[in-house]
Amino acid sequence: MTDMLPDPTDLSRLDWTKGDGLLPAIVQHALTGEVLMLGYMNAAALETTQRTGYVTFFSRSKQRLWTKGESSGHVLALRSLRVDCDGDTLLVGALPHGPTCHTGTSSCFGASVRPALGFLAELDALVARRHAERPEGSYTTRLFEGGVRRIAQKVGEEGVETALAGVVQGDEELLGEAADLMFHLTVLLRERGLSLAAVTDVLAARHAAK
């Protein structure tokens, strides 16, 4: 019989004594899974993060609380907090407002840490914002205003073009048509109140059932 696994959302399991009151906090992009940075939190930094909704650390060099982006404006908006199995490390899910690293890159660990398919989550979120905000002059806005039938027609057109590119055109053309198809499919899903995440859930469930 196996022991019950610890609840990763139970912050009461944090053991502040292991690091003399400081625990490492790994910040991960809440949508793409990209590792953004590593900082350290004490209990006050964690409380401030939860209260304000912006990721706050204890700066070991400044010896004070430091909210990421307090000078640059490139804040990290809190989305989730998780505790590791030993209770001595935090995993912070956040949405970055601008580049996270002071060098101007999205991650302090370089561009290569971004998951290959992570951009699809950002695309999904962007299409959702376009659906909600309907900015004037946006192609996506025009698609939504055309209604579900027009969007479905575009998906059909892009599907045919993708199939033809797969048969008679080169790799570059096939990739371009596939990108167009993915975009319009994302718009169609959003118009129906669905998302790419819901599609991945279906794929994952099918894989698990095999």
Side-chain angles (χ1 to χ4, degrees):
M1 181 178 180
T2 58
D3 295 332
M4 183 179 295
L5 295 174
D7 180 2
T9 64
D10 182 8
L11 299 182
S12 68
R13 295 194 301 107
L14 288 170
D15 187 352
W16 298 101
T17 63
K18 288 186 177 181
D20 294 327
L22 289 178
L23 295 180
I26 303 165
V27 183
Q28 186 177 38
H29 196 298
L31 294 177
T32 69
E34 180 180 15
V35 177
L36 301 178
M37 66 174 294
L38 170 69
Y40 290 85
M41 288 187 180
N42 59 10
L46 177 59
E47 187 277 329
T48 301
T49 296
Q50 293 177 289
R51 176 169 47 82
T52 65
Y54 295 103
V55 179
T56 300
F57 302 102
F58 180 81
S59 171
R60 294 173 296 171
S61 58
K62 298 180 177 68
Q63 287 294 297
R64 65 170 178 83
L65 296 185
W66 168 66
T67 298
K68 178 70 179 73
E70 63 185 19
S71 299
S72 65
H74 299 160
V75 296
L76 295 168
L78 178 68
R79 287 297 178 268
S80 65
L81 288 165
R82 298 177 73 86
V83 186
D84 78 332
C85 56
D86 293 323
D88 57 10
T89 303
L90 279 159
L91 180 62
V92 183
L95 292 179
H97 291 218
T100 298
C101 185
H102 70 280
T103 64
T105 59
S106 62
S107 169
C108 292
F109 298 96
S112 61
V113 299
R114 181 176 184 169
L117 298 179
F119 177 72
L120 289 178
E122 290 190 81
L123 174 64
D124 206 17
L126 175 61
V127 169
R129 288 197 301 273
R130 291 288 190 269
H131 184 264
E133 299 168 2
R134 307 293 174 97
E136 187 177 350
S138 165
Y139 173 67
T140 312
T141 296
R142 294 200 302 274
L143 284 173
F144 283 129
E145 290 178 347
V148 68
R149 290 182 180 274
R150 174 56 181 156
I151 300 170
Q153 179 184 359
K154 286 295 296 181
V155 172
E157 292 172 0
E158 298 299 344
V160 171
E161 291 175 7
T162 301
L164 289 174
V167 176
V168 299
Q169 294 182 301
D171 290 349
E172 184 176 349
E173 291 79 10
L174 174 58
L175 288 172
E177 295 297 348
D180 290 343
L181 177 59
M182 286 295 300
F183 168 74
H184 287 91
L185 179 58
T186 303
V187 173
L188 177 61
L189 288 166
R190 181 58 54 183
E191 178 67 11
R192 290 288 304 272
L194 302 169
S195 66
L196 285 178
V199 176
T200 60
D201 287 342
V202 172
L203 291 170
R206 289 177 179 176
H207 176 74
K210 289 183 179 180

